[in-house]
Amino acid sequence: MPKNKTHSGAKKRFKVTGSGKIMRLQAGRKSGAAFASAPTTGSRKKHRRNAGMVELEKGDVARAKKMLGI
């Protein structure tokens, strides 16, 4: 029986906590200069609000776990 492979896109986007929760990056960070000192798109407040990780929504957990091989 071959080993199951982790979905390469999922392993870049999700992290599993010690308690088993799946965390994702906050949406809306990729456009503009999200990490620059002087953002070119949107305000600094918007970029701060989108910082950090949030827990994955309940409806998406089963699909993410399958892709991660959990």
Side-chain angles (χ1 to χ4, degrees):
M1 202 61 194
K3 292 182 179 179
N4 288 329
K5 294 196 175 188
T6 302
H7 191 281
S8 60
K11 69 183 174 187
K12 296 170 191 173
R13 289 170 172 81
F14 303 122
K15 298 281 182 254
V16 183
T17 64
S19 61
K21 292 179 187 174
I22 299 179
M23 305 297 281
R24 65 167 175 84
L25 281 175
Q26 185 74 16
R29 290 164 54 104
K30 296 291 183 182
S31 62
F35 302 104
S37 58
T40 55
T41 305
S43 63
R44 285 184 174 85
K45 183 177 181 181
K46 184 180 102 173
H47 292 291
R48 277 198 312 272
R49 194 177 340 126
N50 287 339
M53 304 277 278
V54 292
E55 192 175 345
L56 194 64
E57 287 70 28
K58 192 167 58 173
D60 298 325
V61 170
R63 188 181 314 130
K65 281 187 174 182
K66 184 178 178 185
M67 288 192 291
L68 291 171
I70 299 173

